[in-house]
Amino acid sequence: MRSEHKEIKDMELQMSPTQIEINYYLDRKPDVEEDQELFMKAKALALSSDFQRTVIEESYFKHYSKDERRYPDIIIRFFGTKKDVIQFEYFASYYGPGFEGAKDRPIDAYKTWFFNDFKTKSVPVEP
């Protein structure tokens, strides 16, 4: 991906107990419309069977949720020239709406994505 998009200075995959982050560090200020293709590629990667198997099942579950096998949220973040400032992000949950931890929550399987620019309320992304 970095060879196709020269504006990507760095890319990082990070895991924590409740989420997996795909972070794009760009050599310019991120732009929602201009960076739509990067989001779509990262989303396709996150939804791929290889990602589900190698990243979530073989790595994430092993380190963070071995017994419960609770799926993490996936967040795709865009950073500009200031590496510690998120310009905007997209996120999705494996689980559908309901109370966190409830056993009868529907499974969304990362189909519903939201956009957050940290200025207004998060909005759903059109499929």
Side-chain angles (χ1 to χ4, degrees):
M1 194 166 338
R2 287 178 69 185
S3 63
E4 291 177 35
H5 299 276
K6 301 297 182 197
E7 70 274 18
I8 301 174
K9 196 167 36 172
D10 197 9
M11 248 181 104
E12 220 172 53
L13 179 77
Q14 292 184 308
M15 294 183 201
S16 68
T18 61
Q19 63 193 29
I20 293 175
E21 299 172 17
I22 299 172
N23 296 320
Y24 285 111
Y25 297 94
L26 306 179
D27 63 4
R28 58 166 170 73
K29 183 175 178 162
D31 179 87
V32 175
E33 289 181 24
E34 195 174 324
D35 296 323
Q36 186 68 22
E37 183 182 353
L38 293 175
F39 162 64
M40 296 304 289
K41 286 181 177 182
K43 177 183 169 186
L45 171 68
L47 296 176
S48 72
S49 58
D50 281 346
F51 187 91
Q52 296 292 313
R53 182 178 43 78
T54 60
V55 175
I56 295 177
E57 293 181 15
E58 293 175 9
S59 186
Y60 177 83
F61 285 156
K62 178 181 177 183
H63 292 95
Y64 295 105
S65 190
K66 187 187 300 186
D67 297 328
E68 292 180 11
R69 294 183 59 90
R70 286 206 39 87
Y71 284 80
D73 291 339
I74 296 178
I75 304 171
I76 301 169
R77 290 190 168 140
F78 287 80
F79 296 80
T81 54
K82 293 183 179 180
K83 194 170 181 169
D84 58 344
V85 178
I86 304 165
Q87 297 295 316
F88 55 86
E89 68 183 16
Y90 297 87
F91 60 93
S93 179
Y94 182 80
Y95 304 98
F99 293 105
E100 184 67 34
K103 301 288 185 214
D104 59 350
R105 283 176 73 185
I107 302 299
D108 185 66
Y110 306 113
K111 289 183 189 107
T112 307
W113 286 80
F114 293 88
F115 172 79
N116 182 9
D117 65 2
F118 306 104
K119 297 173 188 151
T120 58
K121 186 177 176 183
S122 298
V123 294
V125 175
E126 295 296 319

